[in-house]
Amino acid sequence: MQLISGKAVSADIRQDLAEKTVEFNRQFGRVPALAVIIVGDDPASHTYVNNKIKGCAQVGFRSICQKYENGTPQEEIAAYIRSLAEDDGVDGILVQLPLPKGYDEKYLLSLIPDSKDVDGFSPTNTGLLSMNMPNTVSCTPLGVMHLLASTGVELAGKDAVVIGRSNTVGKPMAMLLLNANCTVTVCHSKTKDLASYTRKADVVVVAIGRPKFLKGDMVKDGAVVIDVGINRVDGKLVGDVDFEEVAPKCSFITPVPGGVGPMTITMLLANTLSAAKNRLS
Ligand code: NAP
């Protein structure tokens, strides 16, 4: 069994992004800029936003962080997003999700132009991915593809199972694997006898938010297992995979923490650089 180190893959990509940022600055006279909007005081969301801002600094981007108190009128936030949309100096706009109750997530996200949708959540960017014409792809599944590439395992022709069908993780993950010529099965909470699918899979990606859901008897020998889950159990981070049981059977597996997690923000940074290049060149 070999561990796939998201930390190591992520560090290499960030190094490359930092070098490309220097080149971008030379060419366009400024660095890429990412604007992040956060509403409310959810501690996990604030941690994610702080890490995004730190990530920007690490690769040399400019970042703008706008914090709103829960209860701020939605139209005030909408007006700010519209101003960022029109600002030529801003390349990426991100609204940290989930928003507190009472805000219309779809409406606020719809104000972000496709060209600045660095989360890859817009209907257009989602549709382009499903047509195998990817523009900006959702960060977490994109990060998983980099982790899979780092193993050197050829994906074409492999049986892949994705557990979870959210619009932000499971579905784009399935599309990316399909675009990579895997035969893809998507399982979810209504799937009957889920283990009958995972037991046949060469690649299993679990993204459901259920601690230690995937057990040893649910995977075949030599499988590649990617654990997207982040669950806090007794103050500890635990994935969706029962690592102790599953790892001995795998050819490759991601740990939690240190697997998929570090890749997500790195992909956000990569998407921001691409968005900046696409807009300016
Ligand atoms: P989500 O929107 O809550 O979706 C969960 C999906 O899992 C749903 O499709 C649900 O099925 C399915 N599901 C739930 N329980 C299940 C079960 N017992 N058996 C089979 N399927 C089940 O969650 P998400 O946003 O996709 O995130 C999933 C996990 O990934 C969470 O732990 C989240 O924290 C983590 N995550 C990690 C990163 C990272 O950077 N590492 C990024 C994003 C998310 P239904 O559709 O039938 O309800």
Side-chain angles (χ1 to χ4, degrees):
M1 180 275 293
Q2 289 186 52
L3 271 186
I4 308 173
S5 169
K7 267 191 192 168
V9 175
S10 170
D12 285 350
I13 296 174
R14 286 195 193 197
Q15 176 63 39
D16 182 52
L17 286 172
E19 286 162 21
K20 286 182 172 148
T21 300
V22 172
E23 181 49 39
F24 182 95
N25 196 7
R26 206 173 288 143
Q27 204 177 344
F28 299 107
R30 69 166 178 85
V31 296
L34 173 68
V36 182
I37 294 152
I38 178 163
V39 187
D41 52 11
D42 175 57
S45 293
H46 277 271
T47 303
Y48 289 134
V49 165
N50 289 341
N51 288 336
K52 288 169 187 178
I53 300 300
K54 272 191 210 154
C56 284
Q58 197 192 347
V59 298
F61 293 179
R62 182 168 79 93
S63 62
I64 302 152
C65 182
Q66 181 66 41
K67 295 177 184 172
Y68 289 104
E69 279 179 18
N70 188 1
T72 305
Q74 177 159 287
E75 272 316 306
E76 188 179 328
I77 301 169
Y80 182 61
I81 297 175
R82 285 194 188 95
S83 74
L84 291 171
E86 282 167 18
D87 187 339
D88 260 349
V90 171
D91 303 298
I93 307 171
L94 179 158
V95 176
Q96 184 65 38
L97 301 178
L99 289 168
K101 278 203 181 95
Y103 290 95
D104 184 344
E105 214 164 88
K106 271 194 193 142
Y107 165 62
L108 288 176
L109 292 183
S110 75
L111 303 174
I112 301 173
D114 295 323
S115 60
K116 298 189 181 188
D117 166 40
V118 283
D119 259 338
F121 292 168
S122 78
T124 302
N125 282 324
T126 305
L128 286 170
L129 175 63
S130 76
M131 294 168 78
N132 202 3
M133 297 161 61
N135 177 38
T136 305
V137 176
S138 181
C139 300
T140 300
L142 186 60
V144 170
M145 293 308 284
H146 279 271
L147 294 180
L148 288 171
S150 78
T151 65
V153 170
E154 170 66 50
L155 289 176
K158 293 286 191 301
D159 291 326
V161 168
V162 178
I163 316 178
R165 57 172 166 179
S166 67
N167 289 332
T168 50
V169 186
K171 280 184 202 160
M173 187 73 252
M175 282 302 164
L176 284 165
L177 290 166
L178 187 60
N179 292 347
N181 293 317
C182 289
T183 302
V184 182
T185 304
V186 181
C187 296
H188 47 78
S189 69
K190 306 290 185 292
T191 301
K192 280 185 281 176
D193 194 8
L194 188 148
S196 68
Y197 298 96
T198 54
R199 263 187 225 116
K200 282 189 270 179
D202 304 301
V203 177
V204 182
V205 181
V206 199
I208 58 177
R210 300 282 180 270
K212 299 192 178 191
F213 174 87
L214 192 78
K215 300 290 180 192
D217 62 1
M218 295 168 76
V219 294
K220 74 174 182 185
D221 284 330
V224 178
V225 172
I226 305 287
D227 189 351
V228 180
I230 302 178
N231 310 286
R232 207 165 272 280
V233 179
D234 299 331
K236 260 186 70 181
L237 280 190
V238 180
D240 289 344
V241 174
D242 189 327
F243 188 87
E244 281 72 30
E245 283 193 15
V246 174
K249 297 184 77 175
C250 293
S251 55
F252 293 93
I253 186 168
T254 55
V256 174
V260 176
M263 294 300 292
T264 297
I265 294 178
T266 299
M267 292 300 103
L268 171 71
L269 301 171
N271 282 350
T272 303
L273 179 65
S274 300
K277 280 186 177 166
N278 289 343
R279 290 183 54 251
L280 296 186
S281 37

